[in-house]
Structures are given as C-alpha cells and as structure tokens.
Short mmCIF file of all heavy atoms in Angstrom, two decimals:
data_model
loop_
_atom_site.label_atom_id
_atom_site.label_comp_id
_atom_site.label_asym_id
_atom_site.label_seq_id
_atom_site.Cartn_x
_atom_site.Cartn_y
_atom_site.Cartn_z
N MET A 1 -2.24 -14.17 1.38
CA MET A 1 -2.60 -14.39 -0.01
C MET A 1 -1.40 -14.16 -0.93
O MET A 1 -1.21 -14.87 -1.89
CB MET A 1 -3.75 -13.48 -0.37
CG MET A 1 -5.02 -13.83 0.31
SD MET A 1 -6.48 -12.93 -0.26
CE MET A 1 -6.75 -13.73 -1.88
N ILE A 2 -0.58 -13.13 -0.60
CA ILE A 2 0.65 -12.93 -1.39
C ILE A 2 1.66 -14.06 -1.22
O ILE A 2 2.15 -14.56 -2.21
CB ILE A 2 1.26 -11.63 -0.94
CG1 ILE A 2 0.34 -10.39 -1.18
CG2 ILE A 2 2.63 -11.35 -1.65
CD1 ILE A 2 0.80 -9.07 -0.55
N GLU A 3 1.84 -14.48 0.02
CA GLU A 3 2.81 -15.58 0.26
C GLU A 3 2.34 -16.93 -0.44
O GLU A 3 3.19 -17.67 -0.83
CB GLU A 3 2.89 -15.77 1.77
CG GLU A 3 3.52 -14.66 2.49
CD GLU A 3 3.50 -14.83 3.98
OE1 GLU A 3 2.74 -15.71 4.49
OE2 GLU A 3 4.15 -14.08 4.73
N ALA A 4 1.03 -17.08 -0.49
CA ALA A 4 0.50 -18.29 -1.04
C ALA A 4 0.45 -18.33 -2.57
O ALA A 4 0.03 -19.33 -3.19
CB ALA A 4 -0.88 -18.57 -0.47
N GLY A 5 0.81 -17.22 -3.19
CA GLY A 5 0.68 -17.14 -4.66
C GLY A 5 -0.63 -16.82 -5.19
O GLY A 5 -0.89 -16.96 -6.43
N ALA A 6 -1.55 -16.43 -4.34
CA ALA A 6 -2.92 -16.11 -4.77
C ALA A 6 -2.97 -14.87 -5.64
O ALA A 6 -3.74 -14.81 -6.57
CB ALA A 6 -3.86 -15.93 -3.60
N VAL A 7 -2.10 -13.88 -5.35
CA VAL A 7 -2.07 -12.72 -6.16
C VAL A 7 -1.69 -12.98 -7.59
O VAL A 7 -2.26 -12.55 -8.59
CB VAL A 7 -1.16 -11.63 -5.54
CG1 VAL A 7 -0.97 -10.49 -6.54
CG2 VAL A 7 -1.73 -11.07 -4.27
N THR A 8 -0.60 -13.84 -7.75
CA THR A 8 -0.20 -14.25 -9.04
C THR A 8 -1.32 -14.98 -9.79
O THR A 8 -1.57 -14.73 -11.02
CB THR A 8 1.02 -15.17 -9.01
OG1 THR A 8 2.10 -14.46 -8.32
CG2 THR A 8 1.52 -15.59 -10.36
N ALA A 9 -2.04 -15.84 -9.13
CA ALA A 9 -3.15 -16.57 -9.72
C ALA A 9 -4.25 -15.63 -10.13
O ALA A 9 -4.86 -15.80 -11.18
CB ALA A 9 -3.66 -17.62 -8.78
N LEU A 10 -4.62 -14.65 -9.28
CA LEU A 10 -5.63 -13.74 -9.60
C LEU A 10 -5.29 -12.82 -10.85
O LEU A 10 -6.16 -12.58 -11.66
CB LEU A 10 -5.95 -12.87 -8.42
CG LEU A 10 -6.62 -13.56 -7.22
CD1 LEU A 10 -6.60 -12.68 -5.94
CD2 LEU A 10 -8.09 -13.92 -7.57
N VAL A 11 -4.05 -12.41 -10.90
CA VAL A 11 -3.63 -11.61 -12.07
C VAL A 11 -3.74 -12.49 -13.35
O VAL A 11 -4.21 -12.03 -14.36
CB VAL A 11 -2.15 -11.12 -11.89
CG1 VAL A 11 -1.60 -10.52 -13.17
CG2 VAL A 11 -2.11 -10.06 -10.79
N GLY A 12 -3.27 -13.70 -13.28
CA GLY A 12 -3.44 -14.61 -14.42
C GLY A 12 -4.86 -14.92 -14.81
O GLY A 12 -5.15 -15.08 -15.98
N ALA A 13 -5.79 -14.81 -13.88
CA ALA A 13 -7.20 -15.03 -14.19
C ALA A 13 -7.91 -13.85 -14.86
O ALA A 13 -9.03 -14.00 -15.34
CB ALA A 13 -7.92 -15.40 -12.91
N LEU A 14 -7.19 -12.71 -14.91
CA LEU A 14 -7.88 -11.53 -15.57
C LEU A 14 -8.12 -11.79 -17.02
O LEU A 14 -9.06 -11.19 -17.53
CB LEU A 14 -6.91 -10.35 -15.42
CG LEU A 14 -6.70 -9.81 -14.00
CD1 LEU A 14 -5.72 -8.69 -13.92
CD2 LEU A 14 -8.08 -9.31 -13.44
N GLY A 15 -7.38 -12.69 -17.64
CA GLY A 15 -7.61 -12.95 -19.07
C GLY A 15 -8.64 -14.05 -19.32
O GLY A 15 -8.87 -14.36 -20.44
N ASN A 16 -9.24 -14.57 -18.27
CA ASN A 16 -10.24 -15.63 -18.44
C ASN A 16 -11.67 -15.08 -18.15
O ASN A 16 -11.90 -14.70 -17.08
CB ASN A 16 -9.89 -16.77 -17.43
CG ASN A 16 -10.80 -17.99 -17.67
OD1 ASN A 16 -12.00 -17.88 -17.94
ND2 ASN A 16 -10.23 -19.18 -17.40
N GLU A 17 -12.43 -14.98 -19.17
CA GLU A 17 -13.70 -14.34 -19.09
C GLU A 17 -14.64 -15.02 -18.08
O GLU A 17 -15.55 -14.36 -17.53
CB GLU A 17 -14.39 -14.24 -20.45
CG GLU A 17 -14.71 -15.56 -21.07
CD GLU A 17 -15.39 -15.45 -22.42
OE1 GLU A 17 -15.44 -14.27 -22.96
OE2 GLU A 17 -15.91 -16.39 -22.89
N VAL A 18 -14.40 -16.29 -17.76
CA VAL A 18 -15.22 -16.97 -16.82
C VAL A 18 -15.07 -16.53 -15.37
O VAL A 18 -16.04 -16.41 -14.62
CB VAL A 18 -14.98 -18.48 -16.92
CG1 VAL A 18 -15.80 -19.25 -15.81
CG2 VAL A 18 -15.31 -19.05 -18.30
N VAL A 19 -13.80 -16.06 -15.11
CA VAL A 19 -13.56 -15.71 -13.69
C VAL A 19 -12.92 -14.30 -13.56
O VAL A 19 -12.53 -13.91 -12.47
CB VAL A 19 -12.57 -16.80 -13.05
CG1 VAL A 19 -13.24 -18.11 -12.97
CG2 VAL A 19 -11.29 -16.90 -13.88
N SER A 20 -12.88 -13.60 -14.60
CA SER A 20 -12.12 -12.27 -14.61
C SER A 20 -12.82 -11.26 -13.65
O SER A 20 -12.09 -10.50 -13.00
CB SER A 20 -12.06 -11.69 -15.98
OG SER A 20 -13.32 -11.59 -16.58
N GLU A 21 -14.11 -11.28 -13.59
CA GLU A 21 -14.84 -10.29 -12.71
C GLU A 21 -14.39 -10.44 -11.29
O GLU A 21 -14.06 -9.42 -10.64
CB GLU A 21 -16.33 -10.53 -12.85
CG GLU A 21 -17.06 -9.90 -14.00
CD GLU A 21 -18.46 -10.14 -13.96
OE1 GLU A 21 -18.98 -10.55 -12.85
OE2 GLU A 21 -19.19 -9.89 -14.95
N GLU A 22 -14.50 -11.63 -10.77
CA GLU A 22 -14.12 -11.88 -9.44
C GLU A 22 -12.65 -11.69 -9.12
O GLU A 22 -12.28 -11.24 -7.98
CB GLU A 22 -14.61 -13.33 -9.03
CG GLU A 22 -16.06 -13.57 -9.08
CD GLU A 22 -16.57 -13.79 -10.52
OE1 GLU A 22 -15.73 -14.14 -11.36
OE2 GLU A 22 -17.78 -13.60 -10.74
N ALA A 23 -11.87 -12.08 -10.13
CA ALA A 23 -10.41 -11.87 -9.90
C ALA A 23 -10.05 -10.39 -9.77
O ALA A 23 -9.29 -9.96 -8.92
CB ALA A 23 -9.62 -12.46 -11.14
N ALA A 24 -10.68 -9.59 -10.64
CA ALA A 24 -10.42 -8.15 -10.53
C ALA A 24 -10.99 -7.56 -9.22
O ALA A 24 -10.40 -6.64 -8.60
CB ALA A 24 -11.09 -7.39 -11.73
N GLY A 25 -12.14 -8.03 -8.80
CA GLY A 25 -12.69 -7.63 -7.52
C GLY A 25 -11.79 -7.91 -6.36
O GLY A 25 -11.56 -7.09 -5.43
N ALA A 26 -11.23 -9.16 -6.36
CA ALA A 26 -10.34 -9.55 -5.32
C ALA A 26 -9.05 -8.64 -5.30
O ALA A 26 -8.53 -8.19 -4.24
CB ALA A 26 -9.95 -10.99 -5.44
N LEU A 27 -8.54 -8.41 -6.47
CA LEU A 27 -7.36 -7.54 -6.59
C LEU A 27 -7.63 -6.10 -6.08
O LEU A 27 -6.78 -5.48 -5.46
CB LEU A 27 -6.82 -7.52 -8.07
CG LEU A 27 -6.14 -8.87 -8.54
CD1 LEU A 27 -5.90 -8.76 -10.03
CD2 LEU A 27 -4.94 -9.09 -7.77
N ALA A 28 -8.81 -5.64 -6.39
CA ALA A 28 -9.17 -4.33 -5.95
C ALA A 28 -9.25 -4.17 -4.40
O ALA A 28 -8.93 -3.11 -3.89
CB ALA A 28 -10.59 -3.89 -6.50
N LEU A 29 -9.48 -5.27 -3.80
CA LEU A 29 -9.46 -5.29 -2.31
C LEU A 29 -8.01 -5.43 -1.77
O LEU A 29 -7.57 -4.80 -0.85
CB LEU A 29 -10.28 -6.43 -1.80
CG LEU A 29 -11.81 -6.32 -2.08
CD1 LEU A 29 -12.56 -7.67 -1.73
CD2 LEU A 29 -12.41 -5.22 -1.23
N ILE A 30 -7.25 -6.28 -2.44
CA ILE A 30 -5.88 -6.51 -2.01
C ILE A 30 -5.03 -5.25 -2.12
O ILE A 30 -4.22 -4.97 -1.25
CB ILE A 30 -5.25 -7.69 -2.83
CG1 ILE A 30 -5.96 -9.05 -2.39
CG2 ILE A 30 -3.74 -7.80 -2.61
CD1 ILE A 30 -5.56 -10.19 -3.31
N VAL A 31 -5.15 -4.51 -3.21
CA VAL A 31 -4.28 -3.35 -3.40
C VAL A 31 -4.73 -2.12 -2.53
O VAL A 31 -4.06 -1.13 -2.57
CB VAL A 31 -4.36 -2.89 -4.88
CG1 VAL A 31 -3.80 -4.02 -5.83
CG2 VAL A 31 -5.71 -2.46 -5.35
N ARG A 32 -5.72 -2.27 -1.73
CA ARG A 32 -6.06 -1.26 -0.72
C ARG A 32 -4.98 -1.14 0.32
O ARG A 32 -4.82 -0.09 0.89
CB ARG A 32 -7.46 -1.51 -0.07
CG ARG A 32 -8.62 -1.33 -0.98
CD ARG A 32 -9.87 -1.99 -0.40
NE ARG A 32 -10.24 -1.31 0.81
CZ ARG A 32 -11.18 -0.28 0.84
NH1 ARG A 32 -11.71 0.16 -0.23
NH2 ARG A 32 -11.46 0.22 1.99
N GLN A 33 -4.21 -2.19 0.52
CA GLN A 33 -3.09 -2.18 1.47
C GLN A 33 -1.80 -2.01 0.64
O GLN A 33 -1.62 -2.58 -0.45
CB GLN A 33 -3.04 -3.41 2.23
CG GLN A 33 -4.34 -3.64 3.09
CD GLN A 33 -4.22 -4.91 3.91
OE1 GLN A 33 -3.25 -5.05 4.67
NE2 GLN A 33 -5.24 -5.76 3.82
N SER A 34 -0.88 -1.24 1.19
CA SER A 34 0.41 -0.93 0.40
C SER A 34 1.15 -2.18 0.05
O SER A 34 1.64 -2.32 -1.01
CB SER A 34 1.21 0.01 1.24
OG SER A 34 1.58 -0.56 2.52
N VAL A 35 1.14 -3.16 1.02
CA VAL A 35 1.89 -4.37 0.71
C VAL A 35 1.27 -5.14 -0.41
O VAL A 35 1.91 -5.75 -1.29
CB VAL A 35 1.92 -5.30 2.00
CG1 VAL A 35 0.64 -5.72 2.42
CG2 VAL A 35 2.84 -6.49 1.73
N GLY A 36 -0.11 -5.09 -0.47
CA GLY A 36 -0.78 -5.70 -1.59
C GLY A 36 -0.54 -4.98 -2.89
O GLY A 36 -0.40 -5.62 -3.96
N ALA A 37 -0.58 -3.61 -2.85
CA ALA A 37 -0.35 -2.84 -4.05
C ALA A 37 1.04 -3.16 -4.60
O ALA A 37 1.20 -3.27 -5.83
CB ALA A 37 -0.56 -1.37 -3.74
N LYS A 38 2.05 -3.25 -3.75
CA LYS A 38 3.40 -3.49 -4.24
C LYS A 38 3.51 -4.91 -4.85
O LYS A 38 4.19 -5.11 -5.87
CB LYS A 38 4.39 -3.36 -3.09
CG LYS A 38 4.50 -1.95 -2.54
CD LYS A 38 5.42 -1.90 -1.37
CE LYS A 38 5.53 -0.47 -0.77
NZ LYS A 38 6.36 -0.41 0.39
N ALA A 39 2.79 -5.87 -4.28
CA ALA A 39 2.79 -7.17 -4.85
C ALA A 39 2.18 -7.22 -6.22
O ALA A 39 2.66 -7.88 -7.15
CB ALA A 39 2.10 -8.16 -3.88
N VAL A 40 1.01 -6.53 -6.36
CA VAL A 40 0.40 -6.43 -7.67
C VAL A 40 1.22 -5.76 -8.74
O VAL A 40 1.30 -6.17 -9.87
CB VAL A 40 -1.07 -5.87 -7.56
CG1 VAL A 40 -1.65 -5.61 -8.89
CG2 VAL A 40 -1.90 -6.69 -6.65
N VAL A 41 1.89 -4.64 -8.37
CA VAL A 41 2.71 -3.88 -9.31
C VAL A 41 3.85 -4.77 -9.80
O VAL A 41 4.25 -4.61 -11.00
CB VAL A 41 3.23 -2.56 -8.65
CG1 VAL A 41 4.32 -1.93 -9.46
CG2 VAL A 41 2.12 -1.60 -8.42
N MET A 42 4.33 -5.66 -8.94
CA MET A 42 5.43 -6.53 -9.40
C MET A 42 5.00 -7.58 -10.43
O MET A 42 5.81 -8.17 -11.06
CB MET A 42 6.04 -7.21 -8.17
CG MET A 42 6.75 -6.27 -7.22
SD MET A 42 7.36 -7.09 -5.75
CE MET A 42 8.57 -8.19 -6.44
N GLU A 43 3.68 -7.76 -10.52
CA GLU A 43 3.18 -8.68 -11.57
C GLU A 43 3.09 -7.94 -12.88
O GLU A 43 2.31 -7.01 -13.07
CB GLU A 43 1.78 -9.19 -11.19
CG GLU A 43 1.75 -9.96 -9.89
CD GLU A 43 2.31 -11.32 -9.98
OE1 GLU A 43 2.45 -11.86 -11.14
OE2 GLU A 43 2.78 -11.88 -9.00
N GLU A 44 3.88 -8.41 -13.90
CA GLU A 44 4.02 -7.75 -15.15
C GLU A 44 2.67 -7.58 -15.89
O GLU A 44 2.41 -6.62 -16.53
CB GLU A 44 5.02 -8.49 -16.05
CG GLU A 44 6.45 -8.40 -15.64
CD GLU A 44 6.99 -6.92 -15.78
OE1 GLU A 44 6.53 -6.24 -16.66
OE2 GLU A 44 7.84 -6.55 -14.95
N ALA A 45 1.81 -8.62 -15.77
CA ALA A 45 0.58 -8.64 -16.49
C ALA A 45 -0.57 -7.91 -15.77
O ALA A 45 -1.67 -7.86 -16.32
CB ALA A 45 0.21 -10.10 -16.86
N ALA A 46 -0.32 -7.39 -14.55
CA ALA A 46 -1.43 -6.82 -13.78
C ALA A 46 -2.13 -5.68 -14.42
O ALA A 46 -3.37 -5.70 -14.67
CB ALA A 46 -0.95 -6.49 -12.33
#
C-alpha cells in the first residue's frame, strides 16, 4: 500500500467528508506497523 501510493491518497482523503471516516480507519490499521507509521509521519498533512 505504501509503494502503491495508497497512504498518500488516504491522507489526502482525510479532508473529504464523504470518505474521511474510512480513510482514517485504514490509516489506523496501517500505522500499527512501524513501516506504516513512518510512511504516515512523512506525510505533512497526516
């Protein structure tokens, strides 16, 4: 998901009220792993 740019897309979706719930839920799962947490921290808007 990180390699495919999905994390960047999910962070960008946090500002869209139509999809923000699911985007935040997906990010909460991704950051459970250290590699996912590091990828999310690197996103300025996260």
